Amino acid sequence: MTRIHQPEVTAAVITQHFVDRQKLQEFHPFTRLRALLDKYPAGQSPLANGKPINLSIGEPQTQPPAFVAEEIAKASAGWSRYPLSKGSEDYLGASKKWLEKRYHLPETMIDSARHLLAVPGTREGLFFTALTVLPMAEPGKPAPVFLMPNPCYHVYTGAAAAAGAEVVTSVATKASGYLPDYTSLPAEILARTALCVLCSPSNPEGAVASPEKIKELILLARKYDFVVAFDECYAEIYSETPPPSALEILAEMGGDLSNVLVFHSLSKRSSAAGLRCGFIAGDEKWISMINTTCQVGGAGVPLPVQAAGTRLWQDEEHVEKNRALYQKNFSLAQKILGPVFPVEIPSGGFCLWLDVGNGVAAAETLWREAGIRVLPGAFMGHRGENGFNPGDRYIRLALVYDPELTAVALETIRNVLAPDQTATKEKTEKAPTDKIAGAL
Ligand SMILES: Cc1ncc(COP(=O)(O)O)c(C=O)c1O
């Protein structure tokens, strides 16, 4: 495949639009991915050898520690009980202790009864937060605004659609350090804002917000009286420096949690996406109101799951192993893709946001020719009225497999997307197709 180079497009800094909640399938990235790729029978190409590799989903492939199953078994009497929506004392206590240790918080800052809420994951937490925080639009008045980065995790947009809010995005490109800049938005938009989300480390780019940027956003939220949701679900996956939390910044600012909600889960940290276990920490008023929304429409976190979650928040050994795995995979990405693509190793998370010129074309080619499934960046982005979508040039690769399979996948990507640049290298190396057949 030839790489397609687009001329530089002037970035639309913001987009403003409504998403029809009955047309969620039109923007849902994985529905779009299926429509793009499933017309090609999986793994029929000689390279795929009947065993496709899926790098499109941010789902850790290592297993959580064995004690998870033991804790669940020990607490199995809890399966017959409805869990208290707020979370058990033990679970909330372990979450509080983990926050204090990880972010050096004073013990007095977080009261687990008032400032914490157990949720199945950050996804459910964010969704119920949007349904709670975004007010009903008043007849004849402009709708409330939900601010989000562009590109972003699709659940923010879906939640805005469900709540009937106007979606306003702030572009996150290389020029902006892959983070949105909400401070430069017009005052009219900020005045209508009810909810804003900052994801750090960000998905898809893995960018980490500085303490200054976090503080600036907290002050902006208080000035315009909106809620800022810090999506920190990738906080434990980082390369060198642990990413700061909004809670750390709030501690430095005196410990008041007003206008701030912070989201964590065990999905990425503990490779336990299927456990469905996380929490929200923050503003007492909103924690209480979101709890009510969960009581009305949520499932709660089952008691045996909370027992396992309690233990996971207390253990760091397995998290260190997970971090080391992702670091190895990023080193491989640098080594294998670095010579032919502008690889930028992210500060956090396990996804590589790779500029390939045309992400949709690359995703189609990789699947058709090699059975490698990746997510086109455009499917995570919002397209502005001028046609600009900051994800267009990119594919997102979730580097979640063991290094051996990751190396095979990355070599295949390089060989398929940049065959010319690879040709010389190949002469001195073992034929990559042999490697693929062997490893799959
Ligand atoms: C940015 C971001 N936020 C939230 C989530 C939801 O994760 P969970 O609900 O498993 O915590 C994901 C999952 O991929 C994500 O990428």
Side-chain angles (χ1 to χ4, degrees):
M1 182 197 136
T2 344
R3 290 179 67 194
I4 300 162
H5 290 281
Q6 293 177 326
E8 275 303 309
V9 198
T10 316
V13 177
I14 58 173
T15 68
Q16 270 180 271
H17 60 125
F18 287 89
V19 175
D20 185 337
R21 55 180 163 252
Q22 295 189 338
K23 292 188 181 157
L24 289 186
Q25 290 186 335
E26 287 175 14
F27 92 90
H28 182 248
F30 296 103
T31 307
R32 292 174 72 188
L33 189 64
R34 281 190 288 275
L36 180 73
L37 302 184
D38 286 359
K39 53 185 177 272
Y40 307 109
Q44 278 202 352
S45 78
L47 275 183
N49 195 26
K51 291 183 182 165
I53 305 176
N54 187 0
L55 303 181
S56 70
I57 302 184
E59 179 187 72
Q61 297 296 309
T62 51
Q63 284 300 307
F67 65 67
V68 167
E70 289 160 24
E71 293 299 330
I72 288 179
K74 272 197 263 167
S76 64
W79 288 124
S80 61
R81 293 175 51 202
Y82 282 115
L84 197 67
S85 162
K86 249 199 95 35
S88 71
E89 256 180 51
D90 282 355
Y91 179 73
L92 297 176
S95 308
K96 169 182 156 71
K97 282 231 160 64
W98 177 78
L99 284 172
E100 286 166 359
K101 194 165 160 219
R102 167 73 166 83
Y103 297 119
H104 317 288
L105 308 179
E107 272 179 35
T108 47
M109 187 169 149
I110 301 214
D111 175 349
S112 16
R114 292 185 294 132
H115 301 127
L116 290 179
L117 175 64
V119 285
T122 47
R123 173 177 34 181
E124 293 85 342
L126 286 156
F127 195 81
F128 281 121
T129 296
L131 290 186
T132 310
V133 167
L134 291 159
M136 305 278 287
E138 288 179 46
K141 290 201 177 159
V145 165
F146 185 171
L147 295 182
M148 60 191 73
N150 184 18
C152 65
Y153 177 49
H154 60 277
V155 168
Y156 311 151
T157 319
E166 183 173 0
V167 174
V168 176
T169 72
S170 169
V171 82
T173 57
K174 190 177 169 75
S176 70
Y178 295 114
L179 290 168
D181 176 15
Y182 299 123
T183 57
S184 60
L185 291 173
E188 179 276 324
I189 287 180
L190 292 167
R192 282 198 290 127
T193 299
L195 180 61
C196 161
V197 68
L198 184 72
C199 184
S200 171
S202 67
N203 176 11
E205 314 89 341
V208 169
S210 67
E212 294 73 27
K213 191 161 180 90
I214 294 172
K215 182 170 180 184
E216 195 178 67
L217 184 54
I218 294 169
L219 293 174
L220 191 75
R222 288 183 178 162
K223 179 172 172 196
Y224 287 93
D225 196 20
F226 58 78
V227 171
V228 55
F230 289 94
D231 182 352
E232 299 182 358
C233 71
Y234 288 97
E236 291 282 84
I237 314 297
Y238 51 83
S239 48
E240 280 163 23
T241 318
S245 168
L247 291 169
E248 243 170 316
I249 313 307
L250 288 168
E252 282 164 23
M253 291 166 77
D256 175 11
L257 300 173
S258 312
N259 299 73
V260 176
L261 295 169
V262 175
F263 297 75
H264 280 275
S265 84
L266 294 163
S267 300
K268 323 289 181 192
R269 173 187 196 273
S270 299
S271 301
L275 192 69
R276 305 315 298 143
C277 195
F279 65 80
I280 314 178
D283 188 320
E284 173 176 4
K285 173 182 108 178
W286 290 112
I287 289 285
S288 163
M289 286 172 70
I290 298 162
N291 183 32
T292 309
T293 310
C294 294
Q295 283 169 325
V296 171
V301 184
L303 290 169
V305 170
Q306 289 190 55
T310 301
R311 200 56 208 277
L312 284 170
W313 286 116
Q314 291 164 342
D315 186 73
E316 294 300 330
E317 205 183 314
H318 72 284
V319 192
E320 281 157 24
K321 281 192 198 141
N322 287 342
R323 265 198 293 276
L325 168 80
Y326 298 125
Q327 285 325 295
K328 262 193 206 147
N329 287 348
F330 279 125
S331 304
L332 285 169
Q334 184 69 70
K335 190 168 147 227
I336 296 167
L337 297 178
V340 291
F341 289 108
V343 168
E344 293 179 83
I345 302 303
S347 308
F350 46 55
C351 293
L352 185 68
W353 186 235
L354 188 66
D355 182 348
V356 291
N358 181 334
V360 170
E364 215 170 339
T365 304
L366 284 170
W367 180 246
R368 211 180 47 227
E369 292 185 13
I372 299 212
R373 207 169 175 93
V374 302
L375 189 64
F379 292 2
M380 296 193 74
H382 293 254
R383 195 170 296 286
E385 275 175 15
N386 66 353
F388 177 72
N389 177 335
D392 274 340
R393 297 183 57 89
Y394 293 81
I395 51 175
R396 190 192 73 170
L397 310 175
L399 301 183
V400 288
Y401 294 94
D402 61 64
E404 198 190 1
L405 188 55
T406 302
V408 171
L410 294 170
E411 279 171 10
T412 312
I413 291 172
R414 183 194 64 201
N415 297 345
V416 169
L417 294 186
D420 304 344
Q421 290 96 320
T422 314
T424 358
K425 244 177 157 286
E426 273 181 19
K427 280 188 192 149
T428 53
E429 280 180 7
K430 195 168 175 283
T433 39
D434 295 349
K435 271 193 194 170
I436 291 160
L440 291 173

